[in-house]
Amino acid sequence: MTSLLLSLTDLSSRDLRDPLAVEVVGLENYIRLMQDAGFRSAVVNTVYFAGVGVPLTVAVALLLALALNTGINRFRSLFRMGFYTPVVTSMVAIAVVWKYILDPGGLLNQVLAEIGIVGPDWLHDTAWAMPSLIGLATWRNMGTLMVIFLAGLQGLPQDVFEAAKVDGANALQRFFSHTLPLLRPTILLGCVLISVYYFQFFEEAFVMTGGGPLGSTTSVTYFTYEQFGYGRYGYASAASYLLALAIGLVTLLQFRLLRNRD
């Protein structure tokens, strides 16, 4: 509640010595944000990151969950632990590994060079920096959704699939006509959880790119962090509440699209 009140004021670092100088400016901070080219760019970057990252992470996690549920019988626990390990690994440790992989002379470009492809400078190229962070985030977060989807798959009624198999439905038909509809509540939960994370993405940009190159990986949370660093506390608070509002609207949209219609 305090931060909401702050967002309606012009509080800045210079006011810490003289709190009585703080003025209530109402919605002025929100209006300024809408006119701020840096904030609009951060919004675009965040939508790009979440708009690509969420569906990609959901798809990869669902495929892994299906493989672990039906296609992998031996060493299933080992695979499950391996896919989940990035979730509990320190972001600093992950950043060290990925920076080595994505370095111009790193592992990925060395592999590409073996097949005659000259790889870019992944983290310092405006065209590739954001896709690189999306790849990192997908790899790091797919384990969370995989566990959720695997639990959902193991709770589905098997008699439905047996009946569909008797009726002649192949694996693909059973997946689209039975698995996906029955898994809808689990997919909704996974989408909501992962969307909240992706819209608040900060660590990837902070550790890997510093918001660059040329602001191409600056997210709304990173923009807010910078404003606090500049001592613009009221302005930064307003930015954080706009992000919270956006997350709420996206969550509402997901509930409307993915909820059970029975």
Side-chain angles (χ1 to χ4, degrees), residues 12-189:
S12 65
S13 56
R14 66 176 181 273
D15 297 316
L16 296 180
R17 293 185 177 180
D18 185 14
L20 296 179
V22 177
E23 295 182 4
V24 176
V25 295
L27 298 178
E28 182 179 322
N29 286 328
Y30 295 91
I31 296 172
R32 284 177 55 206
L33 281 169
M34 295 302 179
Q35 299 171 346
D36 190 330
F39 180 75
R40 293 200 302 268
S41 176
V43 170
V44 172
N45 292 338
T46 303
V47 172
Y48 175 21
F49 185 83
V52 176
V54 171
L56 180 60
T57 306
V58 169
V60 172
L62 184 56
L63 288 174
L64 291 175
L66 288 168
L68 288 173
N69 190 54
T70 59
I72 299 176
N73 296 317
R74 299 183 62 185
F75 309 112
R76 181 179 297 180
S77 298
L78 184 62
F79 279 105
R80 189 183 308 174
M81 182 180 68
F83 289 126
Y84 192 75
T85 298
V87 179
V88 295
T89 303
S90 165
M91 184 60 202
V92 175
I94 291 174
V96 170
V97 174
W98 275 73
K99 277 190 173 182
Y100 170 75
I101 294 174
L102 298 175
D103 188 80
L107 181 62
L108 180 55
N109 281 353
Q110 289 179 21
V111 172
L112 292 176
E114 291 296 324
I115 56 177
I117 299 176
V118 179
D121 187 351
W122 298 94
L123 296 177
H124 299 94
D125 187 322
T126 55
W128 289 105
M130 186 63 83
S132 299
L133 295 189
I134 291 173
L136 166 61
T138 300
W139 175 78
R140 190 188 184 202
N141 293 287
M142 64 184 182
T144 300
L145 292 191
M146 180 200 68
V147 171
I148 293 174
F149 292 158
L150 186 58
L153 288 168
Q154 293 176 345
L156 297 182
Q158 296 304 309
D159 55 334
V160 174
F161 298 98
E162 293 297 331
K165 189 182 296 185
V166 171
D167 290 338
N170 59 36
L172 196 60
Q173 290 171 329
R174 293 196 301 272
F175 174 75
F176 284 105
S177 62
H178 295 84
T179 304
L180 277 183
L182 290 172
L183 205 61
R184 187 189 294 268
T186 308
I187 294 175
L188 171 60
L189 171 63

